[in-house]
Amino acid sequence: MNFYLIADRYNSSYYSFAKMALRGHSVLAPKAIYDLLSPHLRAAKKHKADAIILSHPKILAKLIRKHHGADKESDSLMDWAGAVFHEEGIKIIVVRPFQQLVSTDTAEHLLRWWVRKQFSRDFPPIPELLWDNVSSTDTAKAEAWLSRFAEAEAIAVDIETYREPIDFHKYQKALDDGQPVAGLAAMMKLQTASGKNSTKMGWCIPKITMIGYCGLWLKDDGSWESYSIVLRIDCMADIELMRRFNALEPMKITQNGGYEATHLIRYNAPLHNWLGDTFHMMHSWYAELPRTLNFIASMFVKDYQYWKEEAGVNMDLYNAKDTYYTLWAWVVMVKLAPDWVKKNYRIEFRKVFPNVTCGLEGFKVDEVEQQRLRELYTKQYDNALARLGTIIYPGFNPNSAPQVKAVINALSTVKFKSTDDKALTKFADRGELELVIVDLIRQVRAARKKLSTYIDTTLMDGRLLYEINAGGTDTGRASSKASNLWVGTQIQNQDNELRSMYIADEGYVIANCDGSQAESRTTAYISQDATLIDSVENAKDFHTRNASLFFGIPEDEIIKVIYETVIVDGVEVQQPKRDANGNILKDKSLRTLSKRINHGSNYNMAAAKLLETMGVKNVIEAKRLLNLPLGMGLKKVCEYLLERFVLTYPDLKGRYYDEVIEKIRTTKMLTTAIGWTRYCFGKPSRLPANKLALNKYVAHMPQSLSVMLVDEAMFDFWLEYQIIRNIVRLKAQVHDEVVYMVKPEHYPETKPALSTLMSRPITVNGRELVIPNDGGACDECWGNLKD
DNA sequence: TGATAAGGCGCC
DNA sequence: AAAGGGCGCCTTATCA
């Protein structure tokens, strides 16, 4: 085909890369740069161009003005990429800035995709948007639509929400009067005019303001049609109407519908037969690409036009468009998705159900304990900050990286670029005063973090709420964030020192089960390194075995009892040294060192990074422990340490890394033993320039397999014990750990059940892998479950 | 004042 | 030039 490129001055320097992306076609890139379309159109016609490929913001803006008449529309190539305009019989295909063909791994794929979308018959033309409003006030119309939607093949659903600020005194009065409003309102970040989070807090009630439905019907002539309706939620009758629509039989489709589910369940209006989700289908297909509805529509809807600004103009139309694009994106995705994508989707989608129930119920917070912790860390914060004010200068703020950097650079000859914990360690090594300063900075930072992120987080009805998203990461791990009800915070990074705030509901205990060395085991079986498999399976202690293999020291000599000389009856005697509690002290430094080496090697660190991570002191200590030559530099020491790992487990960084490189080079895909496939845009190789791509892909396999084994266990556990038997309430999954709540009388049953589900065997490269777990523990308080 | 980027840090 | 995997949230600084 013939293509004609248009770029602005900046992007025109990347014409050659655009031509490369369109190899196999005749591509003309004009010498002259115009901000006008017409001279380009003439030239394109002369070239007999089938389409113009546009990477020119100003010309895009003119096209938008011409076709949409608006001045304020976004003219961003990023928003409009994938859109098409028709001018004088020529298609103008908007793409991302050509510059990205050099700076990103995905731009070429997307450019080719958007061109193919316009010319391949695989992408069906989509009927135009038809839409209308419904309301409980027009009963006849509403009933007619209900009947029609009951016959639909599928219904896409989308809600709009609002944080309605309330008068807290009135709310409090209603509470005092015993009215059933408890838990409706909560302190939360206020909504700005643009719908985003304000920095201000206030009492609000999360509300659904409208809900849109887009139905899909098969017409008599065999073609498909769709129609969107928008229902504003203004009164109880509207809510009842919404419940009836949501209960209809046709399958429902959403875009990241955990959001819809959370709000709708709160309205007692759950979606019946919710099976489709464009966000999760996109994640199943291209986990490394964006998953906004806008982007998904740009990939799958032929006549996609950017519509997100409609929100500020006509909210009803905006809502209707969301449902329309959700529906048609889903239809095209299902039509085009290869089998491996659908297989991924079947693995992923069902996880949304336990995830929604986890975050919606959340954890009860022990407010007495919360207050104790608040006072404890406020005191720590105030004291340390006051001392720093005296030592450094009044008003010095340790939470300000620029300020800290200025201070430590003023006090030292080496110049620090960073002021993070590792850098502070390096600074503290310089002397006593430095150590005092660093200790105080750490106290302030730690206390501030604990207070602002965890202790003072907003609650709803005394509970910590959150979301868990099965499609949140590149590897297939779940991600977590604050609740869609605008309270709480993410659950997967709760501070271990603060888990004492979270308690079981009356009559229940919190229980958990934790996988043991999960990623080391998956790494061993995936890499097929015989020694590593032996270590994870047969060593009494994995890190002790590592230390032994790394340094050629018998395992029973790795951890040594520390002896001291004491005088007994006037005679010098060697006795084991004991701590204040009478416990025998042991030197674990070799084991600790091997732990660090293992950690560094797992993520394919280079020597300099290991040095930075371990810190100078620890590397010097390692050098001494291992009797390395005095003249050996610290970076060389780190090289030596990392080399120990490579020599011990040669197949890991050897054969396995090569296998990943080759797999991606030839197929672009990595598939785990669970059957999850990741499409890889990166180009891993042994070249230093591609090291980060290599790192992420070699880390992907064990991380993904490990977490999906837990996910499968969690789903089975949820289905059997929460949904069918109704004796547990799932709380969270934290990658290799499952947390739930259960009545104590049922725990003897659920404990072995979850443990068994989590240790399900799986065949990896012909060997059976079982990831053992700690069996589980329970307590009324989450904080007591950790050892 | 609001929006965004940068730096830092909590977890696995 | 060299680069430790996967996340989300908070504070500060900065700019419109």
Side-chain angles (χ1 to χ4, degrees), chain A residues 8-25:
Chain A
D8 58 359
R9 186 160 302 284
Y10 176 58
N11 285 300
S12 66
S13 33
Y14 301 93
Y15 273 148
S16 57
F17 295 93
K19 284 183 175 175
M20 183 67 83
L22 294 166
R23 58 193 169 272
H25 300 283

Side-chain angles (χ1 to χ4, degrees), chain A residues 94 200 295 344 369 434 438 513 520 559 606 627 665 725 737:
Chain A
V94 184
K200 287 184 195 158
F295 181 79
N344 282 354
E369 175 65 1
E434 287 87 341
V438 164
C513 189
S520 291
I559 298 177
N627 286 321
R665 192 184 66 77
R725 297 201 211 174
E737 175 190 12

Side-chain angles (χ1 to χ4, degrees), chain A residues 363-373 459 462 500-503 781:
Chain A
F363 275 98
K364 186 174 174 183
V365 171
D366 178 345
E367 291 180 27
V368 175
E369 175 65 1
Q370 183 187 30
Q371 185 57 27
R372 184 187 76 82
L373 292 165
L459 305 178
S500 54
M501 285 192 297
Y502 305 116
I503 55 172
C781 171

Side-chain angles (χ1 to χ4, degrees), chain A residues 109-121:
Chain A
H109 182 90
L110 291 174
L111 193 158
R112 295 167 65 87
W113 184 285
W114 283 318
V115 170
R116 190 166 70 89
K117 187 178 75 167
Q118 293 307 324
F119 293 100
S120 163
R121 297 168 68 94

Side-chain angles (χ1 to χ4, degrees), chain A residues 22 54 73 107 347 355 372 686:
Chain A
L22 294 166
L54 183 72
E73 296 265 3
I347 292 172
N355 287 346
R372 184 187 76 82
R686 302 278 184 180

Side-chain angles (χ1 to χ4, degrees), chain A residues 731-746:
Chain A
K731 291 293 147 192
Q733 72 103 290
V734 191
H735 312 311
D736 63 358
E737 175 190 12
V738 174
V739 189
Y740 66 102
M741 199 168 77
V742 62
K743 287 184 177 165
E745 62 265 32
H746 294 304

Side-chain angles (χ1 to χ4, degrees), chain A residues 214-483:
Chain A
C214 186
L216 174 72
W217 295 272
L218 184 61
K219 291 200 288 189
D220 291 342
D221 65 3
S223 65
W224 294 92
E225 67 176 343
S226 71
Y227 207 103
S228 293
I229 57 170
V230 174
L231 167 62
R232 285 189 174 241
I233 306 297
D234 292 329
C235 61
M236 201 58 215
D238 291 330
I239 293 176
E240 278 156 14
L241 186 55
M242 170 172 79
R243 288 176 180 158
R244 291 175 66 198
F245 271 104
N246 292 355
L248 291 176
E249 195 53 35
M251 74 168 277
K252 308 301 184 301
I253 304 159
T254 54
Q255 153 69 10
N256 203 5
Y259 190 82
E260 271 67 25
T262 299
H263 283 273
L264 290 172
I265 289 170
R266 192 158 170 273
Y267 272 71
N268 193 19
L271 287 179
H272 174 65
N273 208 9
W274 171 32
L275 297 176
D277 192 282
T278 46
F279 176 97
H280 292 289
M281 185 62 93
M282 188 67 188
H283 184 257
S284 300
W285 200 329
Y286 294 122
E288 298 179 12
L289 285 182
R291 292 184 282 287
T292 61
L293 180 56
N294 178 52
F295 181 79
I296 292 170
S298 85
M299 284 190 71
F300 295 99
V301 178
K302 200 163 205 158
D303 290 311
Y304 156 81
Q305 299 275 288
Y306 184 71
W307 77 95
K308 285 295 176 182
E309 283 144 337
E310 196 72 63
V313 183
N314 181 342
M315 202 59 197
D316 298 62
L317 174 57
Y318 171 75
N319 185 227
K321 284 190 177 180
D322 271 358
T323 63
Y324 165 82
Y325 277 116
T326 301
L327 179 91
W328 286 106
W330 172 264
V331 169
V332 179
M333 286 172 116
V334 170
K335 177 178 185 291
L336 297 187
D339 285 344
W340 62 267
V341 175
K342 293 179 178 171
K343 190 171 177 185
N344 282 354
Y345 186 81
R346 280 184 217 108
I347 292 172
E348 175 168 318
F349 178 70
R350 63 180 194 163
K351 299 179 201 173
V352 302
F353 300 101
N355 287 346
V356 165
T357 66
C358 283
L360 201 47
E361 293 175 14
F363 275 98
K364 186 174 174 183
V365 171
D366 178 345
E367 291 180 27
V368 175
E369 175 65 1
Q370 183 187 30
Q371 185 57 27
R372 184 187 76 82
L373 292 165
R374 181 178 288 129
E375 283 164 15
L376 177 69
Y377 289 107
T378 302
K379 201 174 286 173
Q380 175 180 318
Y381 178 82
D382 290 343
N383 289 343
L385 190 63
R387 287 190 62 197
L388 281 170
T390 310
I391 298 172
I392 310 294
Y393 56 82
F396 168 66
N397 186 350
N399 276 96
S400 163
Q403 288 182 34
V404 174
K405 186 154 59 169
V407 168
I408 65 177
N409 281 339
L411 293 175
S412 68
T413 44
V414 292
K415 293 300 163 210
F416 289 87
K417 279 190 198 141
S418 161
T419 65
D420 63 10
D421 198 60
K422 284 184 295 193
L424 291 183
T425 299
K426 201 172 161 191
F427 177 71
D429 287 345
R430 299 174 61 84
E432 292 297 323
L433 178 62
E434 287 87 341
L435 183 58
V436 171
I437 293 170
V438 164
D439 183 49
L440 290 170
I441 291 174
R442 283 182 172 143
Q443 283 192 42
V444 171
R445 284 183 178 175
R448 184 78 259 145
K449 173 103 176 171
K450 283 174 163 59
L451 286 163
S452 62
T453 305
Y454 305 108
I455 298 170
D456 290 337
T457 190
T458 50
L459 305 178
M460 182 165 278
D461 201 17
R463 307 185 77 83
L464 177 76
L465 305 186
Y466 40 89
E467 301 297 328
I468 298 171
N469 190 330
T473 72
D474 288 1
T475 61
R477 271 188 177 180
S479 65
S480 174
K481 66 176 196 67
S483 171

